[in-house]
Amino acid sequence: MKKTLLTILMCGIMVLGITGCGESENKLGGDTPLTNNSEKTFTITTGNKSCIPVQLTLYEDGNYELFTAYESCRPGQLCTSMLKYTKSLKGKYDYDIMKILDDESVEVDKSHSMDNLPEYEIYLGNYYVENGYGYYYTVEKGKVNKYLDELLKSINVDLKVCAEPEYSD
């Protein structure tokens, strides 16, 4: 009897997992992204490509946006559109973000294969690129960037989650 109940319970859990029942439309939340924002300093995502990652953008004026949802075609449809984030959470940061680049875990302009993706990817804004910084930085897997970790903790952001799809009709 216990085996039968356990089997039924496991089958029910598998069906819920396969069909996506119980999942909310957007677990992360957010509003329409900013349109009148200051110059971007950093854009940070995880290197994980198993899903569309959330994206953190830091602005010169001390504001940030965590992009949490993106425009997507429904499953089974051919989708050729470029990635467009549709929702973001906003906040303020008070942190010397340039310290992130000074950490020994950071490499500039390193290319990666799909088999060896970095832990984090950091893109710098135009102002910094025009003033001698590189455009693309990475934090390699297995390495810790204490400054990036401090920043993420101070603004309570987890970059290791997937953004939610918003299906277009």
Side-chain angles (χ1 to χ4, degrees):
M1 180 70 172
K2 287 183 180 179
K3 286 184 180 179
T4 304
L5 287 174
L6 185 58
T7 303
I8 292 171
L9 180 62
M10 292 301 291
C11 288
I13 291 170
M14 287 176 34
V15 167
L16 287 174
I18 291 170
T19 62
C21 292
E23 292 184 24
S24 65
E25 190 64 26
N26 189 339
K27 295 176 232 167
L28 299 171
D31 300 314
T32 304
L34 294 172
T35 54
N36 297 330
N37 47 339
S38 68
E39 181 77 26
K40 288 181 187 178
T41 52
F42 284 27
T43 298
I44 307 169
T45 62
T46 63
N48 178 7
K49 300 301 181 206
S50 63
C51 68
I52 304 294
V54 294
Q55 176 180 291
L56 176 64
T57 299
L58 304 167
Y59 299 104
E60 288 252 336
D61 62 2
N63 288 309
Y64 73 84
E65 269 186 291
L66 178 66
F67 294 94
T68 60
Y70 64 96
E71 191 174 275
S72 180
C73 299
R74 295 205 177 273
Q77 290 181 336
L78 178 61
C79 200
T80 59
S81 60
M82 291 182 62
L83 177 61
K84 178 183 175 189
Y85 286 100
T86 56
K87 288 187 179 175
S88 68
L89 299 170
K90 293 124 184 114
K92 292 200 172 286
Y93 69 94
D94 182 21
Y95 193 83
D96 179 7
I97 58 175
M98 296 310 286
K99 291 192 306 188
I100 294 169
L101 300 181
D102 292 335
D103 193 275
E104 63 186 37
S105 67
V106 175
E107 297 189 45
V108 63
D109 293 329
K110 182 175 179 185
S111 62
H112 296 84
S113 69
M114 289 303 286
D115 296 329
N116 184 28
L117 294 171
E119 189 75 27
Y120 295 103
E121 297 177 316
I122 304 168
Y123 298 89
L124 266 59
N126 292 334
Y127 172 81
Y128 293 96
V129 174
E130 291 166 2
N131 285 288
Y133 286 91
Y135 173 69
Y136 177 69
Y137 293 81
T138 57
V139 175
E140 298 304 309
K141 281 189 179 166
K143 294 187 178 180
V144 175
N145 184 308
K146 70 178 185 177
Y147 303 112
L148 178 55
D149 288 348
E150 284 176 1
L151 168 70
L152 296 176
K153 186 177 180 183
S154 74
I155 60 175
N156 194 26
V157 166
D158 181 5
L159 291 178
K160 295 182 180 180
V161 296
C162 299
E164 298 289 322
E166 284 196 331
Y167 298 115
S168 57
D169 293 327

